[in-house]
Amino acid sequence: MSADIFLHSFQSVLPLHHMPQNAINDWTVSAHLKTQSFCPVSLEEERFIPMMRKFCVGESLISQRYYECGEVDQNWDEHEIYKITKETPQGADIGLRNRFFEKASRRVFSEFYDKGDLPGHLIHVSCTGYVAPSPAQVYFSEKDKVPAITHAYHMGCYASLPSVRMARALAVDQSVDVVHTEMCSLHLDLSHHTPEQMVVQTLFGDGHIKYTLSPNHTGAAFKVLHVEESLVKNSLQDMTWIPGAFGMQMTLSREVPTKIQAGIHEFIARMMDQFPFDQEQAIFAIHPGGPKIIDAIQKSLNLSEEQIGSSKKILFERGNMSSATLPHVWQHILSNKENKGKKVVSLAFGPGLTMFGGLFEVV
């Protein structure tokens, strides 16, 4: 692609609620304790709680998480989504969860656009809520001016990079906004008591962010240089994200960090073949699918703490916000004036296993 396209103008909207990581973990364990008490054969509290806590992501790795669903208390009968009773141990069905998503997303669009300029085209990104008409369509249906709208759904944590690829192509003669609304907190399966689910449920949070791609920009921006994609062989079942009766259901194999680590050298080499860069001088924006993924890539590529600092900072402050996470890392990198002129290597991973990479330059 010959025309230069720039990525810029980040704006984030905080979800309505937040809480320290340990407090959310306490609630998650208590919810699992509540649902397992309905089982014909239930474990004693003294055995069950330590077993669940063992697999929680602790406060040394994530300090707090934000979420739209404010039902982090034990008033189970009063909840809308997590109404945990003997008759409804899994909480609300997926329809009610999606209606909650649509309402909360419309609030986010209002905060982004009630006083903001409209783009020529808008890409709405999410893997945590699906309704039609979409929240973007519902919001703009009441406006006099409406941008063209594209939906980039169900790609999981790596979705920001294919969205940048789409927006880059569309932005040759117009501005394109990319809007992420991710509400992972709507999809906890509190009746599924496995180590895998305890990791998932104490890792993910909610996040909303908007940014723009355009053919020109006078402020701080990334110049988009290259986007790369690859599938990891023999990994189809290592990460899945499937609609279920009571929300989206995720599987996450412990092999994910190992398989990413095994394939990352070849993937980086392919990126360098397309657009050479100095790896030792680059900043690495790594989607923090979990602490082990950042650590595995750092070790495999021999990266310094400074090179991956923004990725660890966002994980610590917000947890994993699915597709909204990497844009928050980009926002933090771009806010540092000392990064001007540096190359930024973006890496994200999701079901497939899919590996996505992007190369930007801070200008």
Side-chain angles (χ1 to χ4, degrees):
M1 185 176 292
S2 57
D4 287 339
I5 301 297
F6 300 92
L7 191 164
H8 54 87
S9 302
F10 289 87
Q11 180 185 351
S12 58
V13 170
L14 288 175
L16 293 178
H17 310 279
H18 73 281
M19 188 176 286
Q21 177 74 350
N22 275 0
I24 302 178
N25 288 354
D26 289 344
W27 176 82
T28 305
V29 171
S30 70
H32 278 271
L33 181 65
K34 179 76 172 177
T35 58
Q36 79 98 30
S37 70
F38 302 137
C39 297
V41 179
S42 59
L43 293 176
E44 295 178 355
E45 184 173 334
E46 291 77 10
R47 292 177 58 198
F48 185 82
I49 291 180
M51 183 178 68
M52 293 292 100
R53 286 193 181 280
K54 178 180 178 181
F55 300 101
C56 293
V57 180
E59 64 176 351
S60 65
L61 300 172
I62 299 175
S63 63
Q64 62 182 353
R65 282 179 290 151
Y66 287 76
Y67 46 93
E68 290 291 351
C69 180
E71 298 177 354
V72 187
D73 59 49
Q74 297 189 33
N75 300 320
W76 309 113
D77 291 342
E78 301 173 11
H79 292 170
E80 177 184 9
I81 302 300
Y82 296 112
K83 186 181 179 70
I84 298 176
T85 67
K86 190 172 183 178
E87 291 73 30
T88 58
Q90 293 173 302
D93 64 29
I94 195 170
L96 186 56
R97 295 177 198 239
N98 275 314
R99 287 192 288 275
F100 185 106
F101 171 87
E102 193 273 333
K103 181 179 179 180
S105 294
R106 277 191 284 124
R107 176 186 64 81
V108 174
F109 273 92
S110 294
E111 293 202 35
F112 282 144
Y113 290 110
D114 277 358
K115 298 180 181 179
D117 296 331
L118 293 184
H121 202 113
L122 183 147
I123 300 174
H124 181 212
V125 188
S126 185
C127 69
T128 52
Y130 308 120
V131 290
S134 71
Q137 292 171 319
V138 171
Y139 173 79
F140 285 109
S141 68
E142 301 173 354
K143 306 299 178 183
D144 294 331
K145 295 178 64 177
V146 181
I149 298 173
T150 295
H151 301 108
Y153 290 170
H154 210 75
M155 288 183 283
C157 294
Y158 64 81
S160 58
L161 286 167
S163 298
V164 165
R165 183 171 61 185
M166 285 188 284
R168 184 188 186 194
L170 292 166
V172 175
D173 57 359
Q174 64 182 330
S175 66
V176 179
D177 279 1
V178 181
V179 178
H180 296 252
T181 58
E182 295 289 17
M183 301 179 208
C184 306
S185 66
L186 293 178
H187 300 285
L188 309 184
D189 184 350
L190 300 168
S191 65
H192 195 182
H193 317 302
T194 65
E196 172 195 56
Q197 285 303 306
M198 290 308 296
V199 172
V200 168
Q201 293 171 24
T202 58
L203 173 64
F204 284 86
D206 298 357
H208 317 302
I209 194 164
K210 173 175 80 73
Y211 46 95
T212 301
L213 286 92
S214 64
N216 50 65
H217 185 65
T218 56
F222 296 109
K223 183 192 292 186
V224 181
L225 303 177
H226 180 64
V227 178
E228 185 78 27
E229 177 185 3
S230 180
L231 282 172
V232 178
K233 293 182 179 179
N234 302 316
S235 65
L236 288 176
Q237 298 306 313
D238 286 304
M239 187 186 301
T240 64
W241 186 239
I242 301 171
F246 297 95
M248 305 298 295
Q249 297 177 346
M250 184 178 195
T251 61
L252 185 63
S253 164
R254 66 179 64 186
E255 298 298 319
V256 169
T258 302
K259 290 185 178 182
I260 289 173
Q261 186 177 25
I264 196 65
H265 277 284
E266 181 181 349
F267 186 75
I268 292 293
R270 284 176 52 185
M271 291 183 67
M272 286 184 171
D273 286 343
Q274 295 295 320
F275 209 110
F277 61 92
D278 186 344
Q279 180 175 310
E280 292 184 1
Q281 299 300 317
I283 299 170
F284 277 72
I286 304 168
H287 171 76
K292 290 183 178 180
I293 289 180
I294 299 178
D295 292 343
I297 293 174
Q298 180 183 16
K299 181 179 180 180
S300 185
L301 298 180
N302 195 27
L303 303 176
S304 67
E305 284 293 319
E306 183 179 4
Q307 286 178 286
I308 62 169
S310 293
S311 300
K312 285 192 171 182
K313 179 179 175 62
I314 296 303
L315 176 63
F316 184 71
E317 294 181 351
R318 301 292 299 271
N320 184 338
M321 299 171 279
S322 192
S323 75
T325 319
L326 196 52
H328 279 82
V329 178
W330 296 339
Q331 182 181 35
H332 181 261
I333 292 170
L334 199 61
S335 69
N336 186 347
K337 294 181 180 179
E338 295 182 0
N339 290 331
K340 184 177 180 180
K342 292 187 177 182
K343 298 293 193 300
V344 177
V345 181
S346 296
L347 297 170
F349 317 96
L353 288 170
T354 303
M355 301 177 70
F356 248 99
L359 181 64
F360 306 155
E361 181 181 358
V362 182
V363 299

